[in-house]
Amino acid sequence: QVQLAESGGGLVQPGGSLTLSCTAFGSTFRLYAMGWYRQSPGKQRELVAAIASGKGDSTYYVDSVKGRFTISRDNAQNTVYLQLNSLKPEDTAVYLCNAGGLYRDNYYYSSDYWGQGTQVTVSS
């Protein structure tokens, strides 16, 4: 079992930056692969970025965010981060983290463990 808490969302101008955090409680975080998803009204959740468990973790990014977003983890703090740079209006969504899914062949398949989400709004 795991509980996840995201933070760091907000309103930002196009081209701006945000750092999202997801902290896990009641789990063996260091053993979990982690993913960041985003969801807009009427759309399925989209995998944005993922990171495998362990040191030297492999990472995945959806093509639309490559070069702009960076996923990282700090196992000592039970936290995964998503650094969002060069933000665009189309990045506007609720961002959710997911813990303990399957990271395989440069992709991530979600588990049933989700955070509550944090809103990112990019507006000019």
Side-chain angles (χ1 to χ4, degrees):
Q1 69 181 42
V2 61
Q3 293 182 330
L4 305 173
E6 302 106 324
S7 63
L11 175 64
V12 65
Q13 294 280 109
S17 298
L18 289 170
T19 301
L20 309 183
S21 300
C22 174
T23 300
F25 301 91
S27 65
T28 309
F29 177 82
R30 70 184 186 279
L31 302 179
Y32 290 178
M34 301 287 293
W36 281 100
Y37 291 73
R38 63 187 179 189
Q39 185 170 23
S40 298
K43 289 189 173 182
Q44 294 287 329
R45 289 178 182 177
E46 174 189 33
L47 177 63
V48 177
I51 187 165
S53 61
K55 292 184 177 181
D57 297 328
S58 298
T59 56
Y60 164 86
Y61 301 95
V62 69
D63 285 345
S64 61
V65 310
K66 286 181 179 177
R68 300 189 298 120
F69 293 6
T70 303
I71 188 170
S72 62
R73 65 191 298 155
D74 184 344
N75 290 337
Q77 298 293 325
N78 293 336
T79 300
V80 62
Y81 302 95
L82 188 66
Q83 178 68 44
L84 301 84
N85 296 327
S86 302
L87 282 161
K88 304 174 180 179
E90 53 262 45
D91 296 318
T92 297
V94 174
Y95 285 71
L96 308 99
C97 66
N98 181 268
L102 177 64
Y103 192 101
R104 189 176 75 91
D105 296 332
N106 195 37
Y107 201 72
Y108 179 85
Y109 301 87
S110 65
S111 75
D112 292 332
Y113 297 109
W114 296 93
Q116 82 288 348
T118 186
Q119 177 72 46
V120 171
T121 302
V122 185
S123 178
S124 60

